[in-house]
Amino acid sequence: MPESLVGAGGWGYFAGGLDVYAQAFHFVEVNATFYRRIPDAMARRWRSRVPADFVFSVKVHREVTHRDNLRASKEARESFAASVRTAGILRAPFLILETPASLAFEQAQLDGLRDLSAMVDGRTRIGLEARAYRQGSLPADVRRAMQREGILDVVDVSQINPRVADESVYTRLFGPGPHNAYEFDDDELRSIDRAGQDAVRAAFTFHGVRMYKDAARLLTFKRTGIFPSVTGQQGLASLTAVLRPDARFPTTKDDLVREHGWKVFDLNEHLRAHASVVLSALPDRTFRRLDEVVRELARATPRASNDEVLAEPEPRPSIGTR
């Protein structure tokens, strides 16, 4: 049976911290290690506060990837060794390298991958998120180096498939929204789930502004085959609940779609979709209050009610074709 790990990028924004997070999820990517070296005693406390089967993943310190640009300098090796030591204490099976989008790989980076990989034993896999190549193909020499060193191609599988074949999949999920402002709807989460179904081990780490909700919804779907409601309401009532906390008025249709269209609401009893599905039906004018938006949508979609389909969502392209 394939192993599937579902979690988020850290527990810092999770109410109750690590102890409560570990009651909801059994996997987390530690991003604090990217910004600072973690004392061994702190790593041991983290490990002691979670169940024995809880899985950590460790993001390598930015000194390795951003200061030294993945060159295996003395300083980079020391910093990488600290991340390896933290991963060992946490019993983390993954060490994740995230290189900046400005870093195109040359021979120095390929040599760095080789030298750093030699510092890790077989219990831990290195994953590389090469942000200069987030879309499209990897350079052939980079792909060969990753295959030779057994390095995972870390991508956002909602946007592109891994380009280096491996029995494991590790994905960092952001979605297409700017500044990580995105929430995955049902169809997208199904596609994300399918991307890991052929792997022996698949790790899904969500990093958007709704990362805990996205992770919980995927986890529920994997356990039950059903996506949970996001608001407990349906149709326009659900959309209203999603918009009310932070929609600011007066505003225009274009602003509503741009600022809130990425959010997910309960389109009907069986389907969660992006708010843009219905907000795009609004006329091009200024709205002074939320109730004006709702009334206009009710007129624009006369079949709509709180328990009927408002609109049919557009067909989703399969992963890797966007």
Side-chain angles (χ1 to χ4, degrees):
M1 188 73 176
E3 180 184 12
S4 184
L5 303 169
V6 179
W11 60 86
Y13 299 102
F14 196 87
L18 177 59
D19 303 76
V20 179
Y21 177 94
Q23 296 175 29
F25 304 102
H26 293 284
F27 174 56
V28 72
E29 180 183 287
V30 184
N31 281 292
T33 49
F34 179 75
Y35 298 101
R36 66 184 190 276
R37 296 191 187 186
I38 303 299
D40 291 357
M42 179 179 291
R44 293 189 186 96
R45 284 197 299 272
W46 289 348
R47 184 69 258 180
S48 69
R49 289 165 55 189
V50 299
D53 61 350
F54 187 91
V55 178
F56 289 94
S57 174
V58 171
K59 192 173 175 185
V60 173
H61 199 285
R62 58 186 172 182
E63 289 176 347
V64 178
T65 53
H66 288 60
R67 186 195 66 188
D68 283 5
N69 288 335
L70 209 57
R71 295 180 176 89
S73 65
K74 178 178 181 294
E75 294 78 13
R77 289 197 302 271
E78 289 177 353
S79 184
F80 186 74
S83 293
V84 171
R85 187 168 60 252
T86 299
I89 294 170
L90 295 175
R91 302 199 297 276
F94 301 106
L95 267 170
I96 305 303
L97 294 161
E98 176 209 299
T99 56
S102 60
L103 182 62
F105 278 46
E106 299 179 351
Q107 191 59 47
Q109 283 70 46
L110 301 180
D111 292 344
L113 282 178
R114 179 199 61 213
D115 294 345
L116 295 176
S117 296
M119 298 173 62
V120 179
D121 63 30
R123 293 172 296 181
T124 304
R125 297 292 306 275
I126 294 177
L128 172 64
E129 182 186 15
R131 291 198 165 188
Y133 312 107
R134 291 184 75 171
Q135 301 291 337
S137 301
L138 282 170
D141 55 352
V142 176
R143 188 174 63 252
R144 287 194 296 268
M146 294 174 69
Q147 290 172 328
R148 183 173 59 250
E149 306 301 337
I151 296 172
L152 296 172
D153 182 25
V154 177
V155 297
D156 180 344
V157 298
S158 74
Q159 304 299 301
I160 189 171
N161 290 317
R163 297 149 299 184
V164 178
D166 199 280
E167 65 180 12
S168 295
V169 169
Y170 192 106
T171 179
R172 306 182 78 231
L173 295 154
F174 297 88
H179 310 298
N180 301 348
Y182 199 73
E183 187 173 6
F184 294 102
D185 68 16
D186 289 2
D187 289 343
E188 290 169 323
L189 288 176
R190 284 192 186 92
S191 294
I192 288 167
D193 182 49
R194 286 196 295 270
Q197 286 182 354
D198 293 332
V200 173
R201 170 183 267 185
F204 304 89
T205 61
F206 289 88
H207 293 268
V209 295
R210 301 286 170 80
M211 59 183 176
Y212 302 125
K213 182 184 290 185
D214 284 335
R217 292 183 62 237
L218 177 60
L219 194 58
T220 298
F221 174 72
K222 293 181 75 65
R223 289 171 174 169
T224 68
I226 299 171
F227 288 108
S229 169
V230 294
T231 65
Q233 303 176 77
Q234 297 169 29
L236 291 180
S238 178
L239 180 66
T240 300
V242 167
L243 295 178
R244 182 178 290 118
D246 56 0
R248 298 292 177 259
F249 295 88
T251 189
T252 65
K253 167 193 172 178
D254 288 345
D255 285 343
L256 280 170
V257 172
R258 182 179 65 255
E259 296 172 7
H260 304 281
W262 57 270
K263 298 175 181 177
V264 168
F265 76 112
D266 296 282
L267 187 64
N268 56 52
E269 181 181 359
H270 306 290
L271 183 64
R272 269 57 50 189
H274 289 121
S276 58
V277 167
V278 291
L279 292 176
S280 59
L282 288 168
D284 294 320
R285 70 175 181 84
T286 296
F287 298 89
R288 298 189 177 280
R289 297 185 307 276
L290 179 57
D291 63 313
E292 288 183 21
V293 173
V294 175
R295 285 198 302 270
E296 192 63 55
L297 285 172
R299 285 195 291 268
T301 54
R303 293 193 311 116
S305 70
N306 287 346
D307 56 1
E308 294 178 334
V309 176
L310 291 174
E312 291 296 331
E314 296 180 0
R316 294 273 179 201
S318 60
I319 287 175
T321 62
R322 293 184 180 180

